[in-house]
Amino acid sequence: MTAFPEQFLWGAASAAYQVEGGHDADGKGPSIWDLYAHLPGTTHEGTNGDLAADHYHRFKEDVALMAEQGLTSYRFSIAWTRLFPAGRGAVNPAGVAFYHALIDELLRHNIKPMITLYHWDLPQALQDIGGWESRETVDAFADYAELCYREFGAKAELWATFNETVVFIGMGYITGAHPPGVRDPARALQACHHVFLAHARAVQRFRELKQDGLVRHDAVIGFVNVLQPHASASDRPEDIAARALADGCFTHWFYDPVLRGEYPAELLQWAQEALGAPLFAPGDTELLKANLCDFIGVNYYKRELVAANPDVDNTRINTSGEKGSGREFGFRGLFKLVRNPSGEYTDWDWEIYPRGLTEGILQLKARYGNVPVYITENGLGAKDPIIDGEVVDDARIDYLARHLKAAADAIAAGADVRGYYPWSFTDLLSWLNGYQKQYGFVYIDRDNHLARQRKKSFFWYQEVIRSHGAGL
Ligand code: BGP
C-alpha cells in the first residue's frame, strides 16, 4: 500500500550557485555571491562556489545518475547572471543554451524540471544600483522571468519565483551574514516588499504568456518558503505570546502576501509605526492581490521552540558542525529560539522533528485552505562516514524515511501534497558551511577530480521511488 497519490513526484533539489561552478564561464556575469564569498571571513574557511560540483560542465553525468535513481522531477535554479550578465539589457546566448541543454537532457529521461527563478544569486550589477531596495530590480526581475518563460515555458510545467525570502532577506539585511551584509530591519522590510512585488509581477507575466500560448497550458507557478513550525517553550503566557510573534514574523509575513495577497494586518501596522517600513506605492496593494500562487513550495528542515526574550541578542548560527557550539538565537525584547532539552539534534544544532512536517503543512492548510504543496527541500546536513570506500549515510536514510512518513501523514489528513524534493541530489556548497556539510545522495570526491559516487541513500531512495513509497 502506498500513501502517495499516483501523480506524486519523486524529486531532488539543488540551486545554481551551490552546484554549477563555472562562475565566469561562457559570458556569465558576477552575482552578489560570487563576490561576497571571496571577502575574508564571510564563509566557512573561505569556501565559495567558483567550482562547486562543476555541474555546469558535468550536468549530463548528473542527469544520468538522476535517471538511474528513478527521479521523476528535479528542482534547480537558473543563474540570472548566465542569462543577463548585468542583470538586464544584453542577453547571453550561451547561458540560455546551457539551460536548454539541461532541460532537454532531463526531458529525455522523463524527469520534469521544477525551475526556481531566484535562489539568492542576484546580479552584482543590480546590487550596485540598490539591489532589492530598488524598484528597478523589480522591473529587471520581471524581464528576466519573461525571458525564462519565453525560452523554457514550452518545456517546463513547474515554476517557482523565489526561494526562502525569509532567509535571503533576513540574513542579507537583518543579521548581515549573507550579502549585501546589511543590519537594518527597516531596509529589510522594504527590500522584502520589493521581492513580493517582483514575485507578483513575474506571476502576472507568466499568466499573460500562458494566455498567449508561450507557456504550457498545464504550467503552474508558486513561491518557495521555509516551513518552520514553532512551539512555545512552556505554557507561560509570555512564551505563548513569543511563539505567536515568531509565527507572525517568520511565517505569516512570508506566506500571506503570496497566498492571500496581503500582509498580516496587525504586524504590518506595527512595522510601519515602529520602523516606517514597508512603504507602499500606488498599485502595490492591487498587484499583490491579483497574483496569488498556484502552489506553495515548502522547505522543511526543523522546528523551533520559542520563548520570551528579555536578554538574548544574538543572530549567529552554528556553522562549524560541532554539536552544541551554537548559541541561543534571539532578538532582544521580541523572542528567542531555545533548545529543546529532550530534542534530537543534528551536528549543526537543528532539531530533528519529523512530526513538524505534518504539523506545519496542516497549519498552512488551516490558514490558507487546501493549496497544492510541494515539499521543495528536506534533508540532513552531516559529515558522512566513509567506511571501506563506501559512503554509509544511514543517518540520512533514517531522517528522510521519517520525514516521508510525516508527509504521508499530512496527505492522509487531507493535505494536497504533490511532490517531495530532498535537498540535495549531489553534495554541494552550503552557503556558510562550505563543503563539509553534506546533503546529497551522490558524494562528490573533492580530492579526486570531483568524481561522483553513489551513497547508500542513493540506493535507498531508488527503492522508495520504485515502490512509490510503499516500503516505507
Ligand atoms: C535552504 C536553502 C538551500 C540549502 C539548505 C541547507 O535554506 O534553500 O539553498 O542551503 O537550506 O542549508 P545549509 O546549507 O545552511 O545547511
Side-chain angles (χ1 to χ4, degrees):
M1 259 289 284
T2 176
F4 300 94
E6 202 183 323
Q7 302 301 321
F8 191 82
L9 294 176
W10 299 101
S14 75
Y17 182 69
Q18 297 176 275
V19 76
E20 285 181 0
H23 69 105
D24 59 356
D26 304 329
K28 179 182 170 297
S31 78
I32 51 174
W33 272 96
D34 287 319
L35 276 82
Y36 183 77
H38 280 273
L39 300 177
T42 53
T43 64
H44 175 74
E45 295 177 348
T47 37
N48 61 61
D50 287 2
L51 180 58
D54 204 24
H55 177 70
Y56 182 73
H57 295 108
R58 300 176 71 151
F59 68 93
K60 287 197 178 163
E61 188 183 347
D62 292 338
V63 174
L65 284 165
M66 291 173 202
E68 178 188 326
Q69 196 183 32
L71 296 193
T72 54
S73 187
Y74 172 53
R75 171 175 182 244
F76 62 93
S77 77
I78 291 180
W80 186 342
T81 50
R82 284 199 199 284
L83 306 197
F84 289 102
R88 54 187 174 172
V91 174
N92 173 32
V96 176
F98 169 69
Y99 292 107
H100 272 298
L102 171 62
I103 292 169
D104 291 346
E105 195 66 13
L106 291 166
L107 294 176
R108 218 162 61 74
H109 289 94
N110 293 317
I111 300 171
K112 280 184 206 287
M114 178 189 272
I115 298 177
T116 309
L117 292 173
Y118 187 84
H119 204 125
W120 308 356
D121 45 357
L122 184 75
Q124 180 62 38
L126 294 176
Q127 187 59 52
D128 294 342
I129 58 152
W132 288 113
E133 291 177 82
S134 163
R135 284 178 182 254
E136 282 187 57
T137 299
V138 176
D139 295 336
F141 182 78
D143 291 344
Y144 155 64
E146 177 165 343
L147 176 72
C148 293
Y149 306 150
R150 286 185 183 274
E151 289 291 339
F152 317 121
K155 298 181 178 180
E157 65 199 80
L158 297 166
W159 294 78
T161 52
F162 286 88
N163 179 73
E164 293 191 352
T165 304
V166 67
V167 175
F168 74 86
I169 292 295
M171 300 195 65
Y173 290 90
I174 293 180
T175 76
H178 279 196
V182 172
R183 301 182 63 144
D184 183 331
R187 289 172 64 185
L189 293 182
Q190 196 60 42
C192 186
H193 182 60
H194 296 157
V195 170
F196 293 137
L197 298 177
H199 162 78
R201 291 271 300 279
V203 169
Q204 190 177 40
R205 294 231 183 148
F206 183 83
R207 295 193 175 134
E208 285 163 7
L209 268 69
K210 197 164 146 178
Q211 203 76 45
D212 297 344
L214 290 162
V215 167
R216 292 168 64 121
H217 73 280
D218 55 356
V220 287
I221 192 157
F223 193 87
V224 172
N225 265 327
V226 172
L227 180 63
Q228 177 176 281
H230 304 106
S232 55
S234 78
D235 43 22
R236 294 187 316 158
E238 55 270 42
D239 287 345
I240 291 171
R243 178 243 156 128
L245 188 57
D247 271 350
C249 295
F250 287 152
T251 304
H252 304 157
W253 193 269
F254 296 90
Y255 284 80
D256 283 15
V258 300
L259 291 174
R260 291 181 164 175
E262 60 192 22
Y263 288 92
E266 260 179 53
L267 263 191
L268 178 64
Q269 195 188 344
W270 174 78
Q272 288 178 328
E273 283 170 13
L275 302 166
L279 296 173
F280 281 56
D284 288 1
T285 304
E286 297 74 15
L287 183 72
L288 293 179
K289 259 290 182 227
N291 293 288
L292 305 185
C293 288
D294 295 324
F295 73 87
I296 191 81
V298 298
N299 294 350
Y300 180 75
Y301 291 90
K302 58 182 166 68
R303 68 113 179 232
E304 293 285 356
L305 290 192
V306 187
N309 181 17
D311 50 356
V312 175
D313 195 13
N314 172 51
T315 56
R316 286 183 71 85
I317 53 172
N318 172 351
T319 55
S320 68
E322 279 163 43
K323 203 181 243 179
S325 67
R327 289 176 43 212
E328 257 176 14
F329 180 103
F331 302 103
R332 188 184 294 143
L334 297 177
F335 56 82
K336 62 182 172 184
L337 308 179
V338 300
R339 202 172 169 93
N340 175 3
S342 56
E344 187 188 346
Y345 281 85
T346 73
D347 289 345
W348 271 264
D349 296 324
W350 292 16
E351 187 180 8
I352 300 177
Y353 184 69
R355 269 208 69 70
L357 180 58
T358 321
E359 291 167 1
I361 290 174
L362 294 178
Q363 283 165 14
L364 296 182
K365 182 166 181 275
R367 189 173 174 93
Y368 303 107
N370 211 6
V371 57
V373 174
Y374 289 87
I375 300 165
T376 35
E377 287 180 31
N378 174 234
L380 176 72
K383 297 174 188 168
D384 294 334
I386 300 188
I387 303 172
D388 295 333
E390 296 297 314
V391 184
V392 188
D393 55 343
D394 288 314
R396 175 163 304 106
I397 294 173
D398 180 63
Y399 180 100
L400 295 176
R402 288 157 69 195
H403 285 80
L404 262 171
K405 283 186 212 149
D409 289 346
I411 294 169
D416 185 3
V417 182
R418 300 191 177 184
Y420 181 66
Y421 297 76
W423 184 266
S424 49
F425 183 65
T426 60
D427 283 342
L428 38 67
L429 176 73
S430 170
W431 304 93
L432 298 181
N433 309 279
Y435 293 98
Q436 53 159 358
K437 192 177 188 186
Q438 298 161 263
Y439 279 96
F441 292 121
V442 177
Y443 171 60
I444 303 280
D445 189 345
R446 307 199 72 78
D447 297 325
N448 179 25
H449 311 288
L450 307 178
R452 273 64 175 151
Q453 185 180 333
R454 299 160 190 80
K455 301 184 192 177
K456 190 171 175 187
S457 61
F458 179 95
F459 300 104
W460 169 81
Y461 194 48
Q462 185 178 50
E463 178 52 26
V464 169
I465 298 172
R466 199 203 51 76
S467 65
H468 207 63
L472 281 165

